[in-house]
Amino acid sequence: MKLRIKFTKFGPIRFIGHLDVMRFFQKAIRRSEIDVKYTSGFSPHQVMSFAQPLSVGVESNGEYMDIEVNSITNCKDIMDRINAVSVEGIKVTDVTILPDNAKNAMSSVAAALYTVIFKDGYMPSFDLSDGLSKMLEKDELLIEKTGKAGKREVDIKPGLFDIKVTDKGYSMLLDCSSSGNVKPSQVISKLYEVNDEKEPENIFFHVTREETYKNNGTEEEPLYQPMNVF
Amino acid sequence: MSERLALSEDILMKIDKPARYIGHEYNSVIKDRSKVDVRFAMCFPDVYEIGMSHLGIQILYGLLNSFEGVWCERVYSPWVDLDSIMRKESIPLFALESQDPIKDFDFLGITLQYEMCYTNILQVLDLSQIPLKSIDRTEEDPIVIGGGPCTYNPEPIADFFDIFYIGEGETQYENLINLYRNYKKENKSRREFLIKAAKSIPGLYVPSLYDVKYNKDGTISSFTPNVEGVPEKVKKEIVKDFSNAYYPMAPVVPYIKVTQDRVVLEIQRGCIRGCRFCQAGQVYKPIREKSLDELKKYAITMLKNTGHEELSLSSLSSSDYSKLPELVDFLIEECDKRHINISLPSLRIDAFSLDVMSKVQDVKKSSLTFAPEAGSQRMRNVINKGLTEEVILNGAELAFEGGWTRVKLYFMLGQPYETLEDIEGIADLANKIAARFFETVPKEKRVNGKVQIVVSTSFFVPKPFTAFQWAPQCSKEQFLDKAYQTREAISKVLNQKSIKYNWHEADASVMEGVLARGDRKLCDVILKVYKKGCFYDAWSEYYKNDVWIDTIKECGLTPEFYAERERDTDEILPWDFIDCGVSKAYLKREWERASKEQISENCAVKCQGCGAAEFKCGICPGH
Ligand code: SF4
Ligand code: SF4
């Protein structure tokens, strides 16, 4: 049986990298003594699938991972047990039993909603709304990505699903799939570039991933719903 | 955003592994500041991943936090990237839990596990903005206290510490803290506190209360307390009831991968075997075991409390634990249920251990380890290593039959009385092991077709409180000659294709030797070396041998005086003021027996009257 676990990542532990969050959960799940499934052989381990790694420094209200168990009491109990052995900042907020035919978190993730807030004193000099329009007028928004096969140019424009202006920054719905993931920091860099403004050297904005979605519609007419809605 | 972090987001996003500095790990202890009157920072002066792996610190951390009103936190050496930012921006070094500056603490405890960390002590003090020398500290500064194996000769770093705690930490910290509380209440001075501590609490050495005088040749002429009532000799502290001693049931669980990322069960402390080069074997005497029932309880509780996926045993020589089969059976069963790996270090290779190892590890991927430490039987008699060629070859044969094909052999080069023949013995032994493989395993059964033997040699560093504490250490050139001779000898044996040879660097071994048997005159050297920008000397990429050698000479000293010089057994040694249980008479006897190639039996076979029986505990007769 597979479970999809939704959790938060807040506060100082936002500086823990993705692999270490995985290690954290491996140990937390052992501490919680839930009946998790292990691989066989020497050095047995738990099978886990994470939706999309969160960048170091980013907070989140909507992280997801899948785990496999032999048996469960009930979802609420699983949630409470992990929370009882968790740390400040990582909190399980939902546990859902995966339907048999469900794809795992990593292969089904499609989009994520981010809140971007400019820090005090770091509001850009261009108008947030005008600056955004100016960027979205472009036909393509090329960024350089360094992958296994060296450097290549990628157009992030198709990955900008919806961007709204807020009081202190933006709310961004971005592509979060394994193949087309766009990071808020890439969007912010583009905004500065298009508006001919130099990015401050310090960390000047704060990002929270609010929710992660899968596409419950079609490719033409997507319906983005949280990862735990089937 | 207000959060408990000493470093800004800008810094944390710039440096490697910010998780080293943010605390907030599972099981880390947070206390209410208003209910705490003593703040203790416990430091391992190396990078987080090393420091977090150390059992002794975990014990003391848990113990101190079990005291009401005391909050003990951790601090490690910032890595070089953060170090330079902290210097540039004058950010004071902070403790992980509260993220408060160390300089505001009552105590800074520093564990001293190896000599090459000495400059890191100064790094930690400097970044903490605490005066480097004890004499320059005021009432505002924390009491800086050192502990751990290097305190068995603390003299080269005597200037930097207010107190050294000699021996096992479990016993006297509560007394020390209570004494400190009283002095704070009565508004007495730092010096008054230190004098009272030295006079009234066993195991405490306050270096500023002793004067050292030297002869013309640089040796010590006298070493005496300069305040009345301060003891001439400081006796090591030892846990007598080891089974019931404090043990941390919920150690801190790091986020990032550290060197020892597992539950560690200390099954016994001390060692019955008196290998003549080995300091741990002497200073932890006598051997004391933990009861089987306690260990079973600890294993289950600690696995539950940490969620670690691996468990390992800790001791100097696990095969000597009297209830090992029962313990291992229990652990294999319980760990299997929980899908936990077991790692078993330092087991003697015999039918029992091979059977156990085949149950807990993949035979094809693992290797056998032997540490004969010397190549010939004659030399093994000199060093009193009770491992014979026959035992090694029989063990290897059994292992080959069981499917093992990899063997690791550890030796030490440059021990007293070593000759070319002894070195050739290394190659000979490795060759015989390979030959035994080909005799034992028929061609069609050779899985990888061959056997792999890895010979590693380290260079011998004489240590205080060993039979070899008077011995001359080899020079760098002699060391390297010996390594070449080893390589040469291996290249000549029949099965040389199956043997790989590694050796350690010689420079750092010589410097380790200087510091290990050094005296107070070296304090200036260490300070100057640090001021020239050296730290992380234990990391070969940061170790600058030239700077060390030049600085020693600038201070009017020579490395040879400390390393290569053979001491007369009547000489006053810098560490003579410490009573670690084993007597000088016993060590002299052992030094003599070494010259005659005579072995001495281990404590389990026959008591050697080393002196440690006076502690009235463990294996010793008469209690
Ligand atoms: S067996 Fe020998 S080398 Fe090992 S700890 Fe004991 S005395 Fe030291
Ligand atoms: S007194 Fe005897 S039994 Fe005790 S540690 Fe010394 S040699 Fe071993």
Side-chain angles (χ1 to χ4, degrees), chain B residues 272 285-287 582 586 603 606-613 619-621:
Chain B
I272 55 173
K285 268 182 171 176
I287 194 168
V582 300
Y586 158 78
C603 299
K606 182 173 173 258
C607 170
Q608 300 295 320
C610 77
I619 198 170
C620 305

Side-chain angles (χ1 to χ4, degrees), chain B residues 489-512:
Chain B
I490 288 175
S491 73
K492 282 190 195 137
V493 296
L494 187 64
N495 294 306
Q496 43 108 348
K497 284 216 175 81
S498 307
I499 307 169
K500 202 173 155 267
Y501 175 48
N502 302 319
W503 70 91
H504 280 214
E505 283 169 72
D507 283 336
S509 301
V510 171
M511 201 49 65
E512 187 187 326

Side-chain angles (χ1 to χ4, degrees), chain A residues 61-125:
Chain A
N61 282 313
E63 292 304 287
Y64 290 90
M65 68 168 177
D66 296 346
I67 63 166
E68 209 172 331
V69 293
N70 297 312
S71 67
I72 63 163
T73 42
N74 60 65
C75 290
K76 167 92 171 50
D77 178 59
I78 300 270
M79 179 164 104
D80 292 345
R81 280 216 249 167
I82 300 177
N83 283 336
V85 293
S86 189
V87 290
E88 193 186 318
I90 296 183
K91 190 169 177 239
V92 175
T93 52
D94 181 71
V95 175
T96 308
I97 300 173
L98 275 191
D100 289 341
N101 59 355
K103 289 199 284 181
N104 74 20
M106 201 204 296
S107 50
S108 52
V109 58
L113 180 69
Y114 299 92
T115 304
V116 177
I117 292 176
F118 292 104
K119 292 190 170 179
D120 288 346
Y122 284 105
M123 213 27 125
S125 54

Side-chain angles (χ1 to χ4, degrees), chain B residues 551-615:
Chain B
T551 311
I552 291 178
K553 290 181 184 152
E554 273 166 39
C555 293
L557 304 167
T558 67
E560 293 78 19
F561 174 81
Y562 295 104
E564 288 172 36
R565 183 173 62 90
E566 176 168 352
R567 277 74 165 164
D568 195 274
T569 48
D570 295 331
E571 180 177 328
I572 300 176
L573 302 170
W575 53 92
D576 273 353
F577 71 93
I578 295 171
D579 173 2
C580 86
V582 300
S583 68
K584 207 165 187 176
Y586 158 78
L587 292 174
K588 276 187 197 167
R589 229 161 40 230
E590 284 297 298
W591 182 216
E592 262 167 48
R593 291 177 72 84
S595 71
K596 296 183 196 144
E597 301 162 25
Q598 285 171 341
I599 61 151
S600 300
E601 276 127 337
N602 71 50
C603 299
V605 176
K606 182 173 173 258
C607 170
Q608 300 295 320
C610 77
E614 65 169 336
F615 295 119

Side-chain angles (χ1 to χ4, degrees), chain B residues 271 273-275 277-278 281 316 385:
Chain B
C271 182
R273 289 159 205 283
C275 301
F277 55 83
C278 177
L316 291 168
K385 186 95 217 171

